[in-house]
Amino acid sequence: MGKEIKTVKDIPLQELLLPGHVACAGCGMAISVRHVLKILGGNTVVTVPACCLSVIQGLFPKTAVAVPLKNVPFASAAAVASGLKAGFRLQGKELNVVAIAGDGGTYDIGLQALSGAVERGEDIIYFCYDNQAYMNTGIQRSGATPYGAWTTTTPKGKKERRKDLGLMMIANGATYVATVNPSFPMDFYGKFLKAEEKKGPRVLIGYSVCPPGWRYTPELSIELGKLAVQTGAWILWEFEEGVFRFTGYSKRLAEGKAKRKPIELYLEPQGRFRNVLRDPEKLKALKRGINERWRVYRKIAEVYSSSTPG
Amino acid sequence: MSGTIIITGNHAVSYGAWSSRVRFVAAYPITPQTTIVEMLSDFVNTGKMKAEFMTVESEHSAAAAVMGAESTGVRSFTATSSHGLLYMSEVVHWIARSRLPVVMVVVNRAIAPPWSIWTELLDTMTHRDAGWIQVYVSNNQEAYDMVIQSYRLSEMKRVSMPTMICMDGFILSHTFAPVTVHTPEETDEFLPSYSPLWKIDPENPFSLGNMATPDYYYEFSYLMHEAHENAKKLFNNVDKEFERFSGRSHGGKVHGYMLDDSESVILAMGTLSEEVMVAIDNLRKRGEKVGALKVRLFRPFPAEEISKALEDKEFALILDRSLSYGYEGQLATETKAALHTSGIETPVINMITGLGGRDVTYKEIEKFHGLAKKKVSSEKGPFKPIFIQLKR
Ligand SMILES: Cc1ncc(C[n+]2csc(CCOP(=O)(O)OP(=O)(O)O)c2C)c(N)n1
Ligand code: SF4
Ligand SMILES: [Mg+2]
């Protein structure tokens, strides 16, 4: 509240994800969780369903998380968060209740609970770190796995497109919906600060690299996140009070101030897209899918533009 | 002021939550539980109850939200039935393993297919091992009283385990009977405000439920067992204290009826045990020396009390309104194990009755007893369960 983060130097020094967590090197989720906790600070309670984050906290009786954290069943993050918030509200306690879940716990098994919480207008922050597969159980496809990507259950590449959670959340009536990407930390911080100041259900969806799951080497993690946005494979945007906005580099792309880099630059470092790169038909389909997303989002931006009356 | 009103078993439960100053309710409708939460919703909306009522989208979320609220140190309640309980099953275990003293009423109902809305105990029986204290009630007053008593027992720091109050669908849930109800102010005398064993508090941050290796997990389970042992020790004290407060006792872990001079005993749970007592009265009139044992507490299991009640008896007839396919009724299994542990050789006849809400009348129970007596005197055993109401 009242916090301002204008440059990287303003990022709080306090670490609430402590050294000693056991995430893989280059894990996008660990980077994101570190940022999220820095922004929200110590007056925060976190709930986590089954996912990589439930493991990387470390083994009992130790923990690498310095705020209260309750691990909960896979499908239940949004519902437990609702109950936690109600419990604190009943005692007149003002604090951030945040659910942090993977894409499996959000797009798939936890979608019903999330949809219910958003519909009820629960005063919670929900952060989905989207690493685009079930990583904890060893890289199986999820509803968020992109077209063409290899997983252990899509050995020839996924045939279907991924769900669009952001659009679902807008339609569902969330107060604030945004996509973030830790390769763009200022955009990331700005959106979480906004989220913290708002009331009601706030859903943030985070692009979240995973070196072992995506089959690339960890030193590329930040670079890959940049390429995802620069090639248009991941779109940065936010939706608040009936207004949709592209943000950061995606805004420049949307306004025609920059040109999307060739998608191959994003796909090539990742072993999971090998099948796509080998097959021109698949590559074409993947590109079509990205263009389609952009077309949809441009329309959404038009419909929910700031100039739209009422 | 306390007063007596004529209400259904379900509304008795709602009043129990009101008297107990429940602060948080999350629930999802299912027949025959629905009217419990409808009334609670009304209590909250009219301000009679200073609580939040969360209208979740499923039982899984009902239990999850209750787990969240209770984790902050707020007294919480939910109620469900049959498929609802099965659907929330995962969280049922989580609540117990989190050592949260939630109270939940389960209105017993048979499981589909075929669809059935009538009573059977299989839904709660399949949650026997979920870590919850399980109480089976047999009348509306007991349903009301046990909500209050269960918070008292569950919230004791030596216990800190949730309680599942099980009551027969329709036979109790939708049947009117007089119930004496106490205001929250009066109830304060018996039920202190909730002071949790642990709660989530940013002033004192810790992680709950992160991965524990085999080096640690075993002890978590042992501590739950120890809590159940404590609950077993404290259960009758709570009943006594409640009697001092309200003038009513339900007999503690087990309630014996005409046992002292009885030659045989009929055991049952829930409303079936009330029907058994009517049968006993009639059998006694005909000179049969028979008594009844109503098993109220099923977890922790009152093995010692049951063994003591059956010691030196000619036989025990156990009526189960539930069946573990491929074996027998659950009360029979548990009772036989208890007898074996105590070295008691009283023969046990198990009859499977009332599945899917099939009516079990006192007249039938009188006949069942006669058949059991004949069987025990003419056969040596081992005795298999008898499907006494099976139509052939
Ligand atoms: C009810 C239930 N089903 C399955 C599992 C096994 N499981 C644990 S984590 C997980 C996948 C998690 O995927 P995601 O939410 O994307 O998080 P990630 O592992 O990628 O971080 C699965 C299937 C479980 N814990 N609970
Ligand atoms: S498997 Fe992927 S998401 Fe999980 S800890 Fe490793 S890098 Fe992070
Ligand atoms: Mg994932």
Side-chain angles (χ1 to χ4, degrees):
Chain A
M1 263 142 249
K3 291 173 210 166
E4 222 180 312
I5 298 175
K6 282 196 177 137
T7 73
V8 181
K9 284 186 195 152
D10 300 325
I11 293 175
L13 293 175
Q14 188 186 23
E15 298 291 353
L16 293 166
L17 178 64
L18 306 173
H21 70 72
V22 295
C24 313
C27 173
M29 171 267 284
I31 300 169
S32 298
V33 170
R34 178 175 172 230
H35 287 321
V36 170
L37 295 182
K38 272 174 177 287
I39 303 164
L40 300 180
N43 198 32
T44 300
V45 169
V46 180
T47 183
V48 178
C51 61
C52 275
L53 179 54
S54 47
V55 177
I56 72 134
Q57 299 159 33
L59 295 176
F60 176 88
K62 296 183 180 174
T63 176
V65 182
V67 294
L69 187 153
K70 172 112 177 81
N71 288 288
V72 298
F74 197 13
S76 72
V80 177
S82 306
L84 284 167
K85 186 70 189 190
F88 291 127
R89 186 163 53 233
L90 282 160
Q91 300 171 77
K93 292 183 187 169
E94 265 294 325
L95 36 77
N96 295 313
V97 173
V98 192
I100 306 183
D103 49 293
T106 305
Y107 288 68
D108 295 341
I109 198 166
L111 184 62
Q112 173 179 304
L114 174 60
S115 152
V118 170
E119 184 261 342
R120 292 191 304 274
E122 299 292 349
D123 190 23
I124 57 171
I125 299 177
Y126 191 103
F127 176 52
C128 168
Y129 69 87
D130 182 358
N131 58 19
Q132 310 187 341
Y134 303 160
M135 296 311 179
N136 180 38
T137 37
I139 324 167
Q140 294 81 30
R141 100 195 265 285
S142 78
T145 302
Y147 171 82
W150 165 92
T151 66
T152 57
T153 50
T154 51
K156 293 182 176 162
K158 186 173 163 182
K159 292 193 185 73
E160 306 79 16
R161 51 167 272 197
R162 72 192 221 111
K163 296 185 192 177
D164 194 326
L165 180 72
L167 290 188
M168 279 193 249
M169 290 300 106
I170 292 175
N172 207 156
T175 335
Y176 185 67
V177 190
T179 61
V180 294
N181 179 331
S183 295
F184 299 86
M186 300 321 293
D187 183 80
F188 193 111
Y189 274 77
K191 285 170 177 166
F192 266 91
L193 282 178
K194 241 186 209 177
E196 191 190 6
E197 274 165 22
K198 290 183 186 297
K199 292 254 168 244
R202 293 143 282 169
V203 182
L204 295 102
I205 307 159
Y207 175 86
S208 199
V209 293
C210 172
W214 295 6
R215 296 291 191 247
Y216 73 90
T217 47
E219 69 275 12
L220 293 177
S221 284
I222 297 298
E223 190 53 34
L224 209 53
K226 285 187 184 156
L227 283 168
V229 171
Q230 289 163 350
T231 58
W234 184 267
I235 309 175
L236 290 170
W237 55 266
E238 66 181 355
F239 177 85
E240 59 176 321
E241 281 146 44
V243 178
F244 178 98
R245 261 181 240 107
F246 291 101
T247 68
Y249 198 86
S250 299
K251 185 168 175 224
R252 300 192 57 202
L253 291 177
E255 287 169 350
K257 288 182 182 151
K259 235 177 95 67
R260 275 192 257 159
K261 287 188 178 167
I263 189 70
E264 289 82 351
L265 291 178
Y266 176 61
L267 304 180
E268 268 156 12
Q270 303 183 58
R272 64 172 173 157
F273 289 117
R274 194 171 299 152
N275 278 313
V276 177
L277 290 165
R278 277 195 200 126
D279 182 340
E281 281 309 308
K282 282 185 179 163
L283 184 60
K284 233 201 266 167
L286 186 145
K287 287 180 179 169
R288 247 197 331 269
I290 292 174
N291 291 339
E292 166 70 7
R293 281 300 91 193
W294 274 95
R295 200 175 66 82
V296 168
Y297 277 101
R298 283 207 168 90
K299 270 273 175 248
I300 294 277
E302 234 175 83
V303 173
Y304 291 116
S305 73
S306 45
S307 56
T308 315
Chain B
M1 275 295 288
S2 71
T4 300
I5 48 179
I6 296 173
I7 48 176
T8 61
N10 273 356
H11 286 172
V13 164
S14 313
Y15 272 100
W18 169 69
S19 302
S20 304
R21 293 193 191 275
V22 163
R23 303 286 311 279
F24 182 79
V25 182
Y28 193 77
I30 180 168
T31 304
Q33 154 267 31
T34 319
T35 55
I36 297 177
V37 292
E38 280 176 349
M39 181 172 255
L40 286 175
S41 165
D42 197 53
F43 283 177
V44 172
N45 276 303
T46 56
K48 183 180 170 94
M49 216 165 134
K50 290 189 180 33
E52 271 203 35
F53 184 95
M54 193 175 281
T55 49
V56 284
E57 82 303 324
S58 72
E59 287 88 356
H60 197 279
S61 288
V66 160
M67 176 164 78
E70 186 87 29
S71 302
T72 71
V74 161
R75 188 175 285 158
S76 305
F77 176 85
T78 188
T80 189
S81 179
S82 181
H83 294 266
L85 180 65
L86 301 184
Y87 194 60
M88 66 165 65
S89 184
E90 182 189 22
V91 197
V92 170
H93 283 260
W94 272 79
I95 288 172
R97 298 201 66 89
S98 304
R99 303 293 304 270
L100 292 167
V102 170
V103 173
M104 165 161 69
V105 168
V106 179
V107 184
N108 289 107
R109 164 182 160 180
I111 295 163
W115 283 114
S116 164
I117 52 171
W118 295 278
T119 188
E120 186 183 305
L121 309 188
L122 188 60
D123 51 1
T124 50
M125 281 294 157
T126 57
H127 288 78
R128 180 194 67 182
D129 299 337
W132 290 55
I133 295 165
Q134 267 196 356
V135 185
Y136 289 78
V137 298
S138 62
N139 59 64
N140 291 6
Q141 183 71 59
E142 191 184 5
Y144 168 83
D145 291 347
M146 286 319 293
V147 174
I148 303 168
Q149 287 190 39
S150 297
Y151 278 112
R152 179 70 199 275
L153 180 68
S154 279
E155 290 174 4
M156 288 178 169
K157 290 208 169 66
R158 274 169 295 168
V159 177
S160 206
M161 287 305 251
T163 298
M164 192 182 288
I165 300 168
C166 314
M167 69 179 212
D168 291 284
F170 294 104
I171 301 176
L172 284 193
S173 65
H174 287 64
T175 305
F176 286 83
V179 175
T180 301
V181 166
H182 308 271
T183 63
E185 292 73 23
E186 288 165 346
T187 311
D188 286 343
E189 185 196 318
F190 170 79
L191 180 64
S193 60
Y194 176 34
S195 149
L197 180 66
W198 65 268
K199 66 174 175 179
I200 294 180
D201 179 5
E203 302 286 309
N204 173 30
F206 50 80
S207 282
L208 290 149
N210 54 328
M211 184 83 72
T213 61
D215 259 355
Y216 287 101
Y217 190 93
Y218 191 116
E219 281 68 26
F220 278 96
S221 300
Y222 174 74
L223 289 170
M224 290 169 68
H225 179 69
E226 195 178 71
H228 266 264
E229 290 288 331
N230 292 340
K232 199 152 125 178
K233 285 190 200 112
L234 294 161
F235 192 86
N236 284 12
N237 298 354
V238 171
D239 182 73
K240 289 247 158 53
E241 276 179 45
F242 190 78
E243 188 178 13
R244 274 196 288 279
F245 159 68
S246 70
R248 291 185 301 276
S249 161
H250 298 284
K253 290 173 251 187
V254 294
H255 173 59
Y257 186 65
M258 300 208 171
L259 280 179
D260 289 347
D261 65 336
S262 79
E263 288 162 2
S264 59
V265 186
I266 308 178
L267 286 86
M269 299 201 294
T271 54
L272 202 51
S273 53
E274 301 261 323
E275 201 70 15
V276 167
M277 287 184 237
V278 179
I280 300 282
D281 290 344
N282 290 339
L283 288 166
R284 285 269 171 180
K285 276 183 209 148
R286 298 207 289 271
E288 294 275 0
K289 285 196 168 170
V290 49
L293 193 70
K294 164 174 151 183
V295 178
R296 300 184 62 235
L297 184 66
F298 194 64
R299 273 298 178 277
F301 192 65
E304 298 79 6
E305 288 78 0
I306 292 178
S307 300
K308 209 165 150 249
L310 301 193
E311 202 176 359
D312 302 326
K313 304 295 179 193
E314 278 166 24
F315 71 95
L317 167 61
I318 302 184
L319 303 182
D320 268 293
R321 199 195 271 281
S322 169
L323 166 66
S324 177
Y325 311 112
Y327 196 26
E328 59 188 359
Q330 290 88 345
L331 180 60
T333 305
E334 303 285 27
T335 302
K336 289 199 274 188
L339 293 179
H340 181 85
T341 306
S342 306
I344 295 169
E345 287 175 7
T346 306
V348 171
I349 303 286
N350 180 209
M351 291 186 186
I352 305 301
T353 60
L355 299 184
R358 183 162 299 178
D359 207 12
V360 189
T361 64
Y362 62 85
K363 283 192 181 140
E364 279 176 292
I365 296 172
E366 291 164 33
K367 278 191 206 139
F368 298 166
H369 180 263
L371 284 168
K373 191 172 174 179
K374 215 161 113 195
K375 204 167 174 64
V376 171
S377 57
S378 62
E379 289 174 37
K380 261 204 87 191
F383 300 109
K384 289 194 156 189
I386 302 169
F387 291 83
I388 194 78
Q389 291 182 304
L390 189 66
K391 295 180 197 160
R392 289 184 196 267

